[in-house]
Every structure is written in structure tokens, then in C-alpha cells.
Amino acid sequence: MVNVGYHTAKIQGKANRHIYKAALNQIVSFPIKATQKIPISVYALSCERDLPEQVASIRSFIRHVGIPKTFTVISDGSYTESSCNLLRRIHPCVEVIPLTKMLRADLPQCVWDYAQLHPMGKKLSALMSIPVNGATIYTDSDILFFPGGLDLVGVSSSDDKYSRYLPDCSISLDQRLIYNDSEKLNPVNGGFILFKQELDWSFAIERLANLQEPPIYFTEQTIVHLTIHHNHGVPLCSHKYVLSVEDQFIYLDKLAKKEISLRHYVSDVRHKFWLSVGK
């Protein structure tokens, strides 16, 4: 039996994205109703393909969380100059820099090699190079922020130094880097991280260096997972910071409520991103 709701949502999501993409030049000129400045630096790694998502994500952050010190879009190298200028027009806090200009010179060779081999290696190199001077957020471009995003301001200003992570809804790990079943517990999603201090990556990077076969898509997330837990990271409330695919096969985006802080629209529910833009 055909799931009409699911297929209708996918068709509508595709159509909404097409309309949004066509109107990007006008959308970035619309003023964002936000006045609260927040002591947080934000970074996002993205590419030309994801320009519409990146624009929508930035606008939702400023609208619902506040105006960060900077919102830095890290280009993987594919953004055109016109797209970079378009992103900067969203708000004065937005800057765009190429990945090659922000990478730390002292990254381990295994990370450089991974970055040359796979896009997720580029993401790992970016995460390890983000300067953490006070509360610092990394966010993927397929994340929308909602009115409950003000919660982030409180979490980021807490006195403790423990980074916060987005709990994953499944165990999506490179099993070759897992040495004990207990290390699979409390899976971390690498799409959103609130850094409270610089992380010690050495524990997980040693495993990457010892890997005999080429790293794969989930190698990056596994390195993040191991590193966050090694540094005593604290999970964000999964009711406010949402990563779930439980509504994948229905029409509505039933999790996009004003009370939540954000939703990460992973591939299974990516179409719902475009049903919830502007909420």
C-alpha cells in the first residue's frame, strides 16, 4: 500500500526547497528580527550543494538563539564567490572562510590523509581546528533552530567546562575503532557540538593512526564520539535537542515544536527540513 503522507511530504519538501533556492537573493535581504547579542562563536562546514540549507540554518539561529559574536561558514572549497557574498549578506556577524585557511598546521598526518580521501575527513580536520575561546558551537547546515533555542544561551554560560553533545538516535559508528562494547554506549552525533574548552583528541586519533584500512564515512563520527566521552562530555536533553526519525513515514514534522531548541534533519527526514523552515 502506498504511503501517501510520506510521499506527499517528500514531494512538498523538494518543491519548497526549489522555491527557497530560487529566492535566495531576496531571502538574504530580509531583515531578521533579532537584537539579543550572545557571547557564543558559531562554526559550520558546508558546500555549494547545501547553500539553501545553510542560509535557512543561519537565519533560524539568529532569529531564535541570538546574534553570535561570529557565525563562520567554513567552505569545503566548492562555494563560488557569489555564494560566499550571498552568505555574508544574511547578517554582519556572518563570515565565510575556506577550510584551507583555518586548518591547524599541527594536525596529525592521519587526519590530513583522511581529509584528502573523504569529505568526512575534511569535517574532522575542521572540528579539530576550530579555535575555542569561550563557548563555541559547531553545527551542520541541516539543522534548524526553534524558539526554544534560547536554552542554548543558558547552557553555554554555565560555569562548568564540559562540552555538550547531541545524542544520536542510532549507533552509527566505525566498528573498527571500537575496542570494547561499552564504548558504543551513549552514541554521539557529530552534527552539533557545544565546546566549552579545547578537547583532547589524542585518545581517538591514536586509533585512527593505527587503522590498517582506509577510513570511511562514519570514521569521523566515531572519532568525535570517542573524543567527547574521553573528555567527559555531557548529553544535551534529547527532548529539546532533537535527532529522531520516528516521524519519517508520516506527513507532518511532528517534532518541530516551538519548545525545542533545534532539530537535526538527517538524511532519512531531510525533506522535513523544508516543511519547517520559518517556524
Side-chain angles (χ1 to χ4, degrees):
M1 188 174 185
V2 176
N3 186 328
V4 176
Y6 169 69
H7 290 287
T8 301
K10 294 205 74 171
I11 291 169
Q12 184 176 336
K14 184 176 181 179
N16 289 357
R17 185 183 192 275
H18 178 78
I19 294 169
Y20 194 95
K21 183 177 181 181
L24 279 177
N25 274 303
Q26 291 73 40
I27 289 170
V28 297
S29 299
F30 294 157
I32 306 172
K33 294 181 180 179
T35 57
Q36 175 178 261
K37 295 184 178 180
I38 55 176
I40 302 173
S41 299
V42 186
Y43 291 83
L45 174 68
S46 60
C47 61
E48 182 72 25
R49 178 198 64 205
D50 297 332
L51 177 61
E53 285 81 2
Q54 187 64 82
V55 170
S57 182
I58 294 172
R59 289 181 61 86
S60 70
F61 184 95
I62 296 173
R63 177 185 174 197
H64 294 305
V65 183
I67 303 169
K69 292 190 289 186
T70 54
F71 196 117
T72 304
V73 178
I74 308 165
S75 169
D76 72 342
S78 62
Y79 271 126
T80 64
E81 187 59 33
S82 62
S83 294
C84 291
N85 290 333
L86 185 144
L87 286 164
R88 296 183 184 107
R89 285 170 52 204
I90 295 172
H91 192 276
C93 72
V94 178
E95 60 181 24
V96 185
I97 60 172
L99 176 61
T100 52
K101 286 194 175 181
M102 75 160 289
L103 292 182
R104 294 174 47 167
D106 61 348
L107 288 175
Q109 186 60 48
C110 60
V111 176
W112 286 107
D113 293 342
Y114 185 19
Q116 295 298 315
L117 179 69
H118 200 287
M120 299 310 290
K122 290 184 178 180
K123 180 178 175 182
L124 177 60
S125 68
L127 289 173
M128 293 180 66
S129 298
I130 289 174
V132 180
N133 299 306
T136 303
I137 285 173
Y138 171 81
T139 176
D140 277 353
S141 60
D142 56 354
I143 289 178
L144 285 178
F145 298 85
F146 294 86
L150 281 174
D151 182 70
L152 262 175
V153 180
V155 174
S156 66
S157 62
S158 63
D159 292 334
D160 67 83
K161 298 298 183 181
Y162 299 117
S163 294
R164 303 308 202 268
Y165 69 87
L166 181 64
D168 211 334
C169 62
S170 62
I171 300 176
S172 302
L173 301 171
D174 182 345
Q175 301 295 334
R176 301 170 301 173
L177 298 177
I178 300 298
Y179 292 179
N180 187 299
D181 281 347
S182 65
E183 294 178 340
K184 300 178 184 179
L185 299 176
N186 304 313
V188 174
N189 181 269
F192 184 87
I193 304 169
L194 170 58
F195 297 96
K196 301 294 289 290
Q197 62 180 0
E198 293 275 359
L199 298 179
D200 175 9
W201 295 84
S202 59
F203 171 77
I205 293 302
E206 182 178 356
R207 298 191 184 187
L208 177 62
N210 292 332
L211 193 62
Q212 298 301 307
E213 304 84 12
I216 57 175
Y217 184 91
F218 285 119
T219 302
E220 171 268 333
Q221 181 149 290
T222 309
I223 295 295
V224 172
H225 167 85
L226 292 170
T227 297
I228 291 290
H229 286 306
H230 184 68
N231 287 266
H232 309 292
V234 177
L236 291 161
C237 173
S238 59
H239 297 294
K240 293 183 178 180
Y241 299 83
V242 178
L243 198 170
S244 173
V245 296
E246 67 177 73
D247 60 350
Q248 177 181 357
F249 297 112
I250 65 172
Y251 175 75
L252 295 175
D253 182 350
K254 73 173 188 177
L255 302 177
K257 302 175 182 178
K258 66 180 182 179
E259 295 85 6
I260 72 170
S261 296
L262 61 84
R263 183 174 185 183
H264 188 184
Y265 291 88
V266 291
S267 57
D268 289 340
V269 292
R270 183 71 46 79
H271 57 285
K272 290 181 181 287
F273 181 105
W274 296 105
L275 303 181
S276 298
V277 167
K279 285 189 177 180

